[in-house]
Every structure is written in structure tokens, then in C-alpha cells.
Amino acid sequence: MSVSSTQSPDTTSRRRRPAEHRQDSLCENDPQAAGYNHEQLHDQLCGVQQLNATRSCSPPSHHSLCPAVKCLPAHACASHHACEESWEEIQSKKTIRAENEVEANKLVNNYRFGFRKWKSHVTERPFADRSEVVKELYSELNVIKPHAGPGQLITCGNVFYIFLFGWWVSLAYFLVGTLMFITIIGVPYGKLCWKLGCYFLWPFGNSIHKIGNTLRRCCEQAPDCECSVEAMEDHSPVLLPSPTEMPVSEVPGRPRHTPYWRRFSTYVWLLLGYPLLVVVHSLACFISWILVFTIPVSKMNAQTLSVILLQAPEDVCISSSSQRKHQGYETRALLCCYHAANWYYYKYTVDGINVFAVNLLPLVIVALVIGYIDRENQYASSDVKFAIAIGSIIPLSYYIGMGIASISAQSNFAVGAVVNATFGSITELTFYITALLKGHREANPCLQEVVKAALTGTLLGCILFIPGICMIIGGLRHSEQRFNSRCTGVSSALLFISVGGVFAPTLFSKAYGNLVCDACTNSTAGNGTSNSSGPFVCHNCHYDLNNGTLFRNHVQPLVYTVSALLPVAYIIGLIFTLKTHSHIYDIHVGEGQVTGHHGTVVHWSRWRSLVILIMATVLTSACADLATEHIQPILNQPNISQYFIGVTVLAMVPEIPEIVNGIQFALQNNISLSLEVGGCIAVQVCMLQIPILVFFNAFWDVGFVLLFSDQHLWASIFSVILVNYIFMDGKSDYFQGTALVVVYLILLALYYFAPSPSCC
């Protein structure tokens, strides 16, 4: 099944060959996705071309390495240039693998220009097909597994559990158990609490079961029974929950227990003991969930609180054996934990959203509460409110990205392009517009300069930092990575156009504007003499644009013209890459991989994604308003330039989800998507965000003028030239990434030591 919109003339040669042509597998699969060594593949390809050249370009046979490689003359095959061209031809062939049609659409959209690159799955993956490590992450802790012995359970995470959770949870159980003994009627619950207190001190390898009527009769006949009977081993599967108890016929004349909800002791327990343990387990559950790597402890506390403590005390059996042993009865495992921590929980997702983003979501509520209720800063300072408001934008950006990816994967490319263009920049635009409105209301032109610094910082971060850090991490793991330079060239060309258009009014004003200074003094005046021909020292010099007709008649029309042409160039780029020349990406879905849309369970439907997008946008606007309201104390810091605050905190915090996605792509040896992450954002900043701000200022004058300082101008131009030079050869390694990151840090140092704008 071909997913590309149009086909190139040689599309037929790029189709998947029949199954018997095993030699063609190298041509149809993406070398990066398949994990091939690029250097070995490149050397083999050159060797095959030279061999074919000596055979006078005979037709390709089934024994050749890649029949799709074009036959070249002898003198061309011998050259390194021919090998590079053939490598580019193979590299452009991308065969992606997906579980269903929706996931395939999402993967294809990642390679399309103008679409947000999203790593997380938008559909639920089949649990049976996932690795054992992932299955362990989503386990409900009711699985009995064999282990070598107690020594296997002594790990750093389990020992850490005792000091962080075990001792005070056990102490709480002993205190509650003592309280139940005092009530006399709650003695059964007191015994259960003391047993659970011993269990939670070291729960690893032990298990809690719900026992049935057969075992209960055994315990009644033998009062000294500890409900841990040693017998034959259970032969049920070790990776499945223990089977439920089998129905057992009642013995005639045997006294029956009073139903659970008809006992007076039940209500004594629910009024005195259970509420105290709710507080204890809730606190332990919250702390362990926030720490992420200790999520098994959170699951253990949640299972205890919601299931075990609501059972009848005689139905709860605590076994110290690692395997279920029984004597003529069946039980159901309620809880069994072996490890308190798992380092792979950084991959854990909740409804498709990474657990770290989910844990940051309460920051939104905290920011709104303390921001709009504590107006007088009685409980939190402006610095704290600003930090919380900025931090709350991070999870909202994740939810916006997930919503965009979900809608795009379930719609055609036209709808996806509109959604990406509409909501792709919504996080940044909400902050910029709220900052401009606040600056206009308070007659504070400093916020306008902060917005320009944030725009420039986003541009520099997406051009230098995101590709650089991805190259470093990917290069350290995969030595050298290759990408399709032709596909990257589309974004590079648009980046040149966008940067040239954005800074054209600035260059024009410097060429034709008049330099005006606020104060000039004669350097020889300090000697008591006045020399009009001597050197002068001038302060706060700038180009005069407001006085006279230069700005109104020349600069402002140029700004509107550029702002109208940049979105047109963006639309042309979309048509070029999505419609007329989509074959340059040559993306295909492998046969037999897609199972269709039927039976696919998406995390978010289109309507749910749209509702979440709207809600996240509204919340982002509220958090951005709080950030701009409390940013002034940050800007008033005497030792930090306002430029530096704009190009770092305000520019890069909303892009943290994109940085994470780019790093994940690089680790999977898909550096092409890592580079497109930053390039796509940079193009959207110049071709969409800045024109929107210009036209917003035209309808609602907030004082935004598309004229940048010299520092912004030359830093952006130098960065674009540097990154295009590095991307020229289609290869990346950690050295090139280090060069980009070092240049980015140098520019940050330049902004840090730069004097503040004159209006701040």
C-alpha cells in the first residue's frame, strides 16, 4: 500500500518485490529503521556498482545486492560521487511499519513538511505483541512469578523503599491495629492490620490472596492455622493472574458467616480504621507516582486501598511463599510485588501521554489558583508564580501536540495541514499576544523587546540547539547517521526565504534610516576646554523611524508586503511537498504490516482531540497571562539582560516536548526526523507566527514593529548559514552536533552579557 500522494516515474521500481526475491529486501527497507550499519552498506553498494561496471552494465540479476540501483557507466561507477548518488537513492526509500492504518498515517505525517513530528502512539498497541519489559510496566501486581530466592529481591530500589515508604506505612498499620484492638469488636481488623504492617515493611516476594470457603472451613477446624499451608505447587501459568476460587458445596449444618455489610465491626472499621489508612496510602501513592520510577509502590498502595482493605478480614490471606501453594483449595491473588522501582518507567504512558507530562498537569491548577486568587502575593511571590505559570505550559504543550497528531492521523492530509498550521503555534502565539497586550496597557515597551527576543530565541534554539543535541545523542549511540539531504533541502530553502523576509525591514531601515542619539558629549570637555572638532561620546543611539515619512511611507508597507508573502511561500511549500513532489520522500507502508482501521482503538477520537485542543488552548492563554503579569520582577533583575530571559526561558520552555521527540527519534537512528523537528518549528515561527503578530498589530495597535536589533539580525543569519553548511553532506555525527550546541551557547553568552534594551 502506497501512502504517498503522487508517484514518481520510477515508483514501480521502488515497489516491494515478491517474497521469493530475498535479495531485494535491502532496497525496500529503510536502512535506518532496519538498523543497518551505514558504512558497511555504503561500501557494499560501491563494490556492487564497480562489479556491474566491468560487466558492461548488464541487466540486474536476482543475485545483485539491489536491482533497483541504476546501471552506471564504468568511469562513473568508479567515482565516489556515483556511490553517493546511489546511496541517496536507497536512503530516500522509506518503508515504515505500523500496527494499523491510523498509526501508519501518523508515521507518514512525521515525514511531511508542515506536520508536527510526534513520537508517541496515537492508538493502543496490542499488549500481547509488546516486550516483557513493557508488560511488566503495565502489570496490575497480581501475577505470581517464580524467582531464584530471597537474594534476588535485595535490590537498591527495594532497600530504598524501606527508608522512603516501608517504615512509616508499617508504623501506621500497627497504630491502627492497636486502635482496633481497643474497640474489642474490631479485633479481627486489628489482627489484619498487624499482618499487613509486617507485609508492608518488606512486601517483595510475598503475596496477598483472597481465600475461599474451603480454606475458611480448614481454618475454623484448626484455629492455630496461619492461612499459609504448604502443599503441592500450583501448575497454573506463572505469568497469569491466579485463578479465581472454584465453587464448593456447603457442608450441611455448618454455621454461616454474617454478610460483610451486616456486621457492626464493618462500620467500626470504616469509621475509625479505614479513614486513617486512606490518608496514609494516598500520601504514599502520590509520592511514589510523582517519583515515576517507583510507580509499582503507587500501584501497590492503590490496590490495597481500593480492594484489600474492603475485604472481610477472614478472606485475606498473606503468604510468605513466592509461589502459590494450596491444599485442596483455589485462591485469587490480590497483590504480589517483586520490585519497588523500575528504571524503564520513563516510557510509561497514561492515555497516550508520557507520565512526566501527566505529573506536571497539576501545575496548571496550582498556577491558576495562586495566580487569580492570591492577587496581593500574600502566599507566593511573583517569582514563584512566574515559574509555576511557565512550567504549566509544558504539559499543555504535550496535550496540544497529542491532539494535533491524533486529528491528523485520522483525517486526510489537507485537514491535517490546516490543524497543524492553526494549532501548531498556538502555545507561542498566546504568550506573545498576551505580552504585547499587557505592554500596551501599561505603556511598557520593554515587553515588546522581550517578545522579539523570544521569537529570535525560538529561531536560534530550533536551528542550532535541537538539531545539535539530537546529533550528539544519536551520534554517541550510532556513530554516524545519514539523512536524505534533498528532503532536508526543502526546509533549508524555506528557512533561507523566511529569515530573509523577516529581517528585510530591519536591513532596509538600517540602509535608509537616520542615526539619532539621545545625548552626546565632547570627550575633551572634561579638560575645561571646548573643542567642536574633537571626538564625541553618544548614548542610546538608534535609527529614527517615527519622525518623518520613512517609516510610514516605506518601512511599514514593506513589513506588510513581507508578512503577506511569507504565508504564501509556506502554502507553496505545503503544496510542493504534499502534492506535486511528494515522491521525494518516497514513503511506503510495508505489506502485511497494516491491519486496517477496523478494531483499532485510538487513544483520542477526533472530537475528543478537538475538545482537548480547545481546552488546552484556553488554559495556555490563562497561564501565559499569569506569566506576563508576573514577569516584571524577573525583568527588573539588574544582573540579567532582558534579552537573555527572552531567548532562553520564554523561547525554549514551550519547545521542550519537541526536544524530547527529537531525541527519541535520534536514539532510534532516525536523525532525519530529528532535524525536521527543529526546521519545521523555525519555518513556522518566521512564516506564520511573525506575520500573524504583524496583522494582529495592524487591527489592534499594540506597538509591535517588525524591526530587530543588530544582535538578533546577525545571530539569526549566521545560524542559518552554519546549519545549512553542516547539513550539506547528508551525514551527521556527535562532532557536528557539538559544533552547533557550542555556537548556540556562545550566542547565549553574548545575550547574557549584552546590555538591556534602552526601553527596559
Side-chain angles (χ1 to χ4, degrees):
M1 165 180 143
S2 177
V3 186
S4 56
S5 301
T6 59
Q7 299 178 0
S8 61
D10 58 342
T11 303
T12 305
S13 64
R14 297 176 181 176
R15 294 281 188 178
R16 177 179 287 272
R17 304 301 196 274
E20 62 269 19
H21 296 169
R22 302 294 179 89
Q23 294 82 3
D24 295 359
S25 60
L26 181 61
C27 296
E28 66 192 34
N29 293 326
D30 182 10
Q32 291 180 350
Y36 290 107
N37 185 289
H38 296 111
E39 297 178 357
Q40 294 177 359
L41 180 60
H42 184 269
D43 296 339
Q44 294 174 5
L45 178 61
C46 293
V48 171
Q49 289 180 337
Q50 294 174 1
L51 180 61
N52 290 340
T54 60
R55 297 180 179 178
S56 300
C57 295
S58 59
S61 64
H62 297 304
H63 298 286
S64 62
L65 178 64
C66 182
V69 176
K70 297 180 179 179
C71 185
L72 301 175
H75 64 277
C77 289
S79 65
H80 181 74
H81 179 67
C83 298
E84 292 293 338
E85 289 181 351
S86 298
W87 166 260
E88 289 293 339
E89 184 177 354
I90 288 183
Q91 182 69 10
S92 64
K93 299 175 173 63
K94 296 184 181 297
T95 300
I96 60 178
R97 296 170 174 82
E99 296 87 356
N100 50 71
E101 184 179 355
V102 176
E103 201 64 38
N105 291 337
K106 190 265 295 185
L107 295 176
V108 172
N109 290 338
N110 283 342
Y111 290 93
R112 287 173 170 169
F113 169 76
F115 283 73
R116 174 167 289 199
K117 321 304 175 188
W118 195 251
K119 179 64 177 62
S120 301
H121 281 68
V122 296
T123 60
E124 293 185 5
R125 302 177 63 183
F127 190 76
D129 299 337
R130 308 190 76 173
S131 63
E132 295 299 327
V133 174
V134 177
K135 291 180 181 179
E136 180 69 21
L137 299 182
Y138 295 93
S139 173
E140 296 297 333
L141 300 185
N142 58 353
V143 176
I144 307 294
K145 296 186 297 183
H147 58 87
Q152 188 180 4
L153 300 175
I154 301 177
T155 61
C156 295
N158 292 353
V159 174
F160 177 73
Y161 163 86
I162 298 178
F163 296 100
L164 188 60
F165 301 102
W167 69 271
W168 57 273
V169 174
S170 298
L171 179 61
Y173 267 102
F174 284 118
L175 294 178
V176 173
T178 304
L179 178 62
M180 290 293 101
F181 275 110
I182 294 176
T183 62
I184 300 177
I185 196 172
V187 169
Y189 288 97
K191 294 180 180 179
L192 176 63
C193 288
W194 282 8
K195 292 180 181 179
L196 290 176
C198 297
Y199 173 83
F200 278 101
L201 187 62
W202 183 264
F204 312 109
N206 303 326
S207 58
I208 300 178
H209 298 265
K210 180 180 180 181
I211 61 177
N213 293 328
T214 305
L215 180 62
R216 190 180 298 117
R217 288 198 302 269
C218 172
C219 292
E220 290 173 354
Q221 297 173 3
D224 297 333
C225 177
E226 294 294 336
C227 295
S228 179
V229 185
E230 295 185 0
M232 57 183 295
E233 291 189 0
D234 182 22
H235 298 285
S236 61
V238 296
L239 292 181
L240 293 176
S242 301
T244 57
E245 59 176 299
M246 302 296 293
V248 181
S249 59
E250 294 289 341
V251 179
R254 174 181 173 271
R256 295 185 179 183
H257 285 278
T258 306
Y260 180 73
W261 294 106
R262 295 183 181 179
R263 305 177 189 177
F264 184 69
S265 61
T266 299
Y267 297 95
V268 173
W269 162 252
L270 294 178
L271 290 176
L272 297 180
Y274 185 74
L276 299 176
L277 294 177
V278 167
V279 176
V280 172
H281 281 294
S282 299
L283 181 60
C285 187
F286 174 77
I287 296 175
S288 56
W289 182 272
I290 291 297
L291 295 177
V292 175
F293 300 105
T294 57
I295 286 181
V297 179
S298 179
K299 292 182 178 180
M300 183 170 58
N301 284 272
Q303 181 75 359
T304 303
L305 190 62
S306 60
V307 177
I308 296 175
L309 295 182
L310 297 178
Q311 300 289 330
E314 66 272 9
D315 288 345
V316 179
C317 170
I318 301 177
S319 175
S320 60
S321 177
S322 61
Q323 297 181 354
R324 287 188 302 121
K325 301 178 180 181
H326 58 84
Q327 187 176 11
Y329 64 90
E330 294 287 344
T331 63
R332 179 166 61 93
L334 299 178
L335 182 61
C336 186
C337 183
Y338 294 93
H339 298 285
N342 191 331
W343 304 114
Y344 287 97
Y345 265 100
Y346 71 90
K347 297 182 178 181
Y348 194 79
T349 59
V350 179
D351 205 14
I353 299 295
N354 187 270
V355 63
F356 287 101
V358 175
N359 287 348
L360 290 176
L361 200 58
L363 281 181
V364 179
I365 301 176
V366 175
L368 296 178
V369 170
I370 67 174
Y372 289 107
I373 295 180
D374 184 23
R375 291 286 187 177
E376 304 298 329
N377 296 340
Q378 296 180 356
Y379 303 101
S381 63
S382 294
D383 297 344
V384 174
K385 292 181 179 180
F386 173 79
I388 296 177
I390 287 293
S392 62
I393 295 178
I394 299 175
L396 293 175
S397 300
Y398 268 100
Y399 278 85
I400 290 175
M402 182 67 175
I404 293 174
S406 298
I407 294 178
S408 301
Q410 302 175 67
S411 310
N412 55 40
F413 75 91
V415 175
V418 172
V419 171
N420 277 269
T422 304
F423 290 95
S425 303
I426 198 69
T427 303
E428 297 85 352
L429 284 175
T430 51
F431 175 77
Y432 299 152
I433 291 176
T434 53
L436 291 174
L437 290 174
K438 178 178 175 61
H440 178 67
R441 289 194 305 265
E442 299 179 357
N444 184 8
C446 183
L447 289 179
Q448 181 188 148
E449 294 299 323
V450 172
V451 170
K452 293 179 182 178
L455 288 168
T456 307
T458 305
L459 188 62
L460 296 179
C462 294
I463 293 176
L464 298 176
F465 180 74
I466 295 181
I469 195 68
C470 293
M471 284 182 174
I472 292 175
I473 296 177
L476 291 176
R477 183 168 183 176
H478 301 286
S479 182
E480 181 179 271
Q481 297 176 294
R482 292 174 179 260
F483 54 90
N484 190 349
S485 58
R486 186 180 182 188
C487 300
T488 311
V490 176
S491 299
S492 300
L494 289 174
L495 195 57
F496 265 117
I497 296 172
S498 59
V499 171
V502 166
F503 291 100
T506 303
L507 293 173
F508 183 86
S509 65
K510 294 184 181 304
Y512 296 100
N514 296 321
L515 188 64
V516 177
C517 300
D518 293 343
C520 295
T521 57
N522 194 327
S523 60
T524 60
N527 299 330
T529 60
S530 178
N531 186 5
S532 60
S533 62
F536 283 81
V537 177
C538 300
H539 302 277
N540 296 332
C541 297
H542 59 277
Y543 287 94
D544 186 17
L545 299 176
N546 296 321
N547 296 329
T549 60
L550 178 64
F551 178 76
R552 291 189 299 271
N553 297 341
H554 300 279
V555 177
Q556 196 171 36
L558 176 62
V559 170
Y560 292 146
T561 302
V562 169
S563 300
L565 291 176
L566 288 178
V568 173
Y570 184 82
I571 296 175
I572 294 175
L574 289 177
I575 297 174
F576 178 82
T577 56
L578 302 181
K579 192 68 177 175
T580 62
H581 288 69
S582 60
H583 61 271
I584 64 176
Y585 298 97
D586 199 18
I587 307 166
H588 299 279
V589 178
E591 294 180 2
Q593 301 293 334
V594 178
T595 59
H597 189 72
H598 300 288
T600 301
V601 180
V602 295
H603 289 299
W604 298 355
S605 64
R606 277 175 289 193
W607 284 108
R608 182 184 178 187
S609 301
L610 183 60
V611 171
I612 292 177
L613 275 178
I614 296 174
M615 293 178 59
T617 302
V618 173
L619 293 175
T620 301
S621 302
C623 294
D625 179 67
L626 291 175
T628 55
E629 182 178 350
H630 299 282
I631 195 177
Q632 197 59 45
I634 308 296
L635 299 178
N636 293 335
Q637 296 290 333
N639 299 325
I640 302 178
S641 173
Q642 286 79 1
Y643 285 140
F644 181 77
I645 297 174
V647 298
T648 53
V649 178
L650 304 182
M652 297 308 296
V653 168
E655 309 303 335
I656 288 180
E658 308 300 332
I659 298 174
V660 174
N661 285 328
I663 292 175
Q664 290 179 334
F665 286 132
L667 289 174
Q668 291 186 345
N669 205 13
N670 200 344
I671 194 64
S672 59
L673 285 184
S674 299
L675 302 182
E676 287 292 329
V677 166
C680 182
I681 300 175
V683 170
Q684 285 189 346
V685 168
C686 295
M687 291 191 166
L688 293 180
Q689 295 181 18
I690 291 179
I692 289 175
L693 293 178
V694 170
F695 289 120
F696 177 81
N697 183 79
F699 289 100
W700 192 334
D701 188 6
V702 292
F704 180 76
V705 181
L706 193 62
L707 296 176
F708 293 84
S709 65
D710 291 351
Q711 195 168 352
H712 298 329
L713 171 66
W714 300 118
S716 301
I717 293 177
F718 173 73
S719 300
V720 172
I721 295 175
L722 174 64
V723 76
N724 278 274
Y725 173 76
I726 289 182
F727 290 173
M728 192 178 299
D729 59 351
K731 304 176 185 177
S732 71
D733 49 49
Y734 73 90
F735 176 76
Q736 294 178 339
T738 303
L740 293 178
V741 173
V742 168
V743 171
Y744 177 74
L745 296 178
I746 291 174
L747 293 177
L748 289 187
L750 188 147
Y751 279 107
Y752 181 82
F753 294 106
S756 300
S758 58
C759 56
C760 293

